[in-house]
Amino acid sequence: MFATASSRIRTAGIYIPLLTGTLSVIGSGSILYSIWARRSTKLKDPQHRILGMMSIFDILYSINKALTFLTYPSDLGVPTFGNNATCALQGFFTQFAYATGSYNLVLSIYYYLIINKGMSKEEFAKVWEKVLHGIVVICHLSFAIVGVVIGLYNPTPAFCYIATGPYDCTTNPDVPCPFETTAPYFYEAFAQGWIQVAYVGIIVTNLLIWLSVKRQEKRMKKYQTQLEASRLSDMEKKSSYARSVFVQSILYVGAFFLSWSWATIFHLVWWITGVSAPWITLLINTFIPLQGFFNAFIYARPRYIRLKKMHGDFSFKQLITLVFLPQALPMYEEERGRRSTVAMSKPNYLSTLRRGLGSTCIGIGSKGVGKEYLPKPNEDENDLTENNLNLVVFDEEQGKNLGVDLPG
């Protein structure tokens, strides 16, 4: 009965990543697509480059986990189709993609330096970013290669990674366990050591960010009645920015802990009891591949909030679509008839403007009378900054739109 239950748990742990891994690939893929679609601005920002690298490694990890049923050895009591070679391959990509967790620490370090130290994005990119990218990629790639070379990657109950040896080496005296005494130390050095460093670093940096935000808010309240309006406005903007960065950082931290804590629990149970618990491997295979799925919603959150303020009458589905597919904005605006001038004939349009505003150069737009600002072609439809707008002026006397033809 126990063996049957254990086998079912192992089977579930192998096949559940088909779902969770696919969701994570979709989530991380949407982040990469969003960054690439606006690469002219996004790739200039270290934050988006860090998130892009995190998403790439998450996709590697998630695909690797989703294909466990193809890579896990087929003769170990569960319905799989792999062999020892594919098992080693899965171990390699699992180890390499552990960089996903390390990039959570890199992101927290970035937020800390920007908020607490006042470092500019350019300063961070010049030295810090290069060093951190190099450490993460080179170390995890080196560990992955070493593990394959020395034969460190072997079957655990539901995936292939660092293990004492062949699956039954601890119960069958005829099967040697080459890493019986050293496997826990390899696991600590190659995997958990990095995760534990990330735990400590993330907690410390986010605590310091929180303290900095509280100090800024306290300082602003203290001098609220003494400062001139412009100085107070600057302080409020800085405080609001710091708080929004802190909230975003905490959300990424939450996704990281929810996803990766199970690997730490697995390590502790194995270290203390010497047993690879199947139920913990089930949780590992369920939650770690979901980090990209969680990150997608966190990444979308600030943009969703901005879009909701700009287009409050759009549905939730429309807003989520615009987060990742901003080019859909004109279609949605046309559907709801945002540009009311489309429905008006030119004579009525002109007479209405004449009665309300008189002659001279006039028009309708969100920036003021006489001007209409429209996004430039091939630019982000939601980036309503001065540099990304075409000024449209309507000449009443000539009866035409200067620069852009009047609809209708």
Side-chain angles (χ1 to χ4, degrees):
M1 180 70 179
F2 175 78
T4 301
S6 176
S7 177
R8 287 176 179 172
I9 293 173
R10 291 176 61 205
T11 302
I14 288 170
Y15 281 90
I16 282 178
L18 271 173
L19 172 61
T20 58
T22 300
L23 290 174
S24 197
V25 168
I26 293 172
S28 290
S30 66
I31 293 175
L32 288 175
Y33 176 81
S34 180
I35 293 172
W36 183 252
R38 293 182 291 278
R39 57 191 176 276
S40 59
T41 55
K42 296 280 189 182
L43 290 180
K44 295 178 181 177
D45 187 345
Q47 176 186 212
H48 289 99
R49 293 196 292 267
I50 294 168
L51 285 168
M53 289 297 291
M54 186 191 299
S55 298
I56 289 171
F57 279 106
D58 179 75
I59 288 174
L60 284 176
Y61 188 91
S62 299
I63 293 175
N64 186 43
K65 283 293 185 181
L67 298 178
T68 298
F69 73 101
L70 293 177
T71 57
Y72 193 79
S74 59
D75 55 349
L76 299 179
V78 286
T80 53
F81 305 94
N83 52 44
N84 290 335
T86 57
C87 184
L89 184 66
Q90 186 186 51
F92 172 87
F93 281 108
T94 299
Q95 180 62 64
F96 188 36
Y98 254 67
T100 306
S102 298
Y103 268 111
N104 282 270
L105 175 58
V106 174
L107 189 63
S108 289
I109 291 173
Y110 168 75
Y111 287 145
Y112 166 75
L113 293 174
I114 294 295
I115 297 300
N116 289 59
K117 299 301 181 180
M119 183 179 290
S120 68
K121 295 178 180 180
E122 292 74 19
E123 290 174 322
F124 178 84
K126 187 177 295 184
V127 178
W128 279 88
E129 185 179 6
K130 294 182 177 69
V131 171
L132 292 171
H133 280 307
I135 291 173
V136 172
V137 174
I138 292 173
C139 286
H140 285 286
L141 179 59
S142 299
F143 292 155
I145 293 172
V146 169
V148 171
V149 170
I150 66 176
L152 186 60
Y153 304 133
N154 292 285
T156 69
F159 57 87
C160 293
Y161 193 48
I162 298 171
T164 56
Y167 187 70
D168 58 347
C169 75
T170 56
T171 57
N172 188 344
D174 297 327
V175 179
C177 292
F179 302 100
E180 184 174 7
T181 58
T182 56
Y185 300 102
F186 276 114
Y187 193 86
E188 181 68 25
F190 284 18
Q192 277 304 304
W194 288 88
I195 298 301
Q196 289 157 7
V197 168
Y199 285 157
V200 174
I202 286 171
I203 290 172
V204 170
T205 52
N206 280 275
L207 177 61
L208 292 173
I209 292 171
W210 178 76
L211 291 174
S212 177
V213 170
K214 297 303 289 185
R215 281 196 299 269
Q216 288 186 33
E217 292 179 344
K218 187 176 181 180
R219 192 182 305 120
M220 186 177 64
K221 289 179 181 179
K222 181 179 179 180
Y223 298 106
Q224 194 165 12
T225 58
Q226 304 174 24
L227 295 174
E228 59 185 34
S230 59
R231 179 78 183 279
L232 183 61
S233 176
D234 288 340
M235 289 183 67
E236 288 175 343
K237 288 178 181 178
K238 290 180 180 179
S239 178
S240 176
Y241 173 72
R243 174 167 285 279
S244 64
V245 168
F246 173 69
V247 170
Q248 195 72 356
S249 179
I250 285 295
L251 290 173
Y252 282 120
V253 170
F256 169 72
F257 274 87
L258 180 60
S259 301
W260 288 86
S261 295
W262 305 107
T264 302
I265 294 172
F266 175 86
H267 174 63
L268 291 174
V269 171
W270 182 35
W271 189 288
I272 294 169
T273 66
V275 175
S276 299
W279 67 270
I280 303 180
T281 60
L282 170 63
L283 294 172
I284 290 173
N285 282 6
T286 299
F287 281 95
I288 294 184
L290 281 174
Q291 185 178 5
F293 182 70
F294 299 146
N295 284 349
F297 287 97
I298 299 168
Y299 179 82
R301 175 182 166 274
R303 188 171 178 79
Y304 175 85
I305 292 172
R306 290 195 298 270
L307 286 169
K308 189 172 180 62
K309 289 180 180 179
M310 294 167 57
H311 310 289
D313 56 335
F314 281 5
S315 68
F316 173 78
K317 181 181 178 182
Q318 288 175 320
L319 291 172
I320 289 294
T321 301
L322 288 175
V323 166
F324 297 105
L325 299 172
Q327 58 268 35
L329 180 60
M331 178 182 68
Y332 290 151
E333 287 188 333
E334 185 177 351
E335 288 176 357
R336 73 171 185 179
R338 171 173 288 276
R339 291 183 173 88
S340 59
T341 56
V342 174
M344 300 172 64
S345 64
K346 289 184 181 179
N348 289 337
Y349 172 74
L350 294 174
S351 62
T352 299
L353 292 174
R354 185 181 294 110
R355 287 196 303 271
L357 304 171
S359 60
T360 70
C361 220
I362 57 176
I364 296 178
S366 59
K367 292 272 183 161
V369 175
K371 302 176 182 179
E372 182 175 0
Y373 287 83
L374 298 175
K376 294 177 180 178
N378 302 319
E379 293 290 342
D380 184 356
E381 294 279 356
N382 295 306
D383 182 13
L384 300 183
T385 59
E386 205 62 53
N387 293 331
N388 187 35
L389 296 175
N390 275 334
L391 172 61
V392 179
V393 180
F394 191 82
D395 186 336
E396 182 181 2
E397 294 182 1
Q398 297 296 323
K400 64 180 181 179
N401 203 356
L402 303 181
V404 178
D405 290 337
L406 181 68

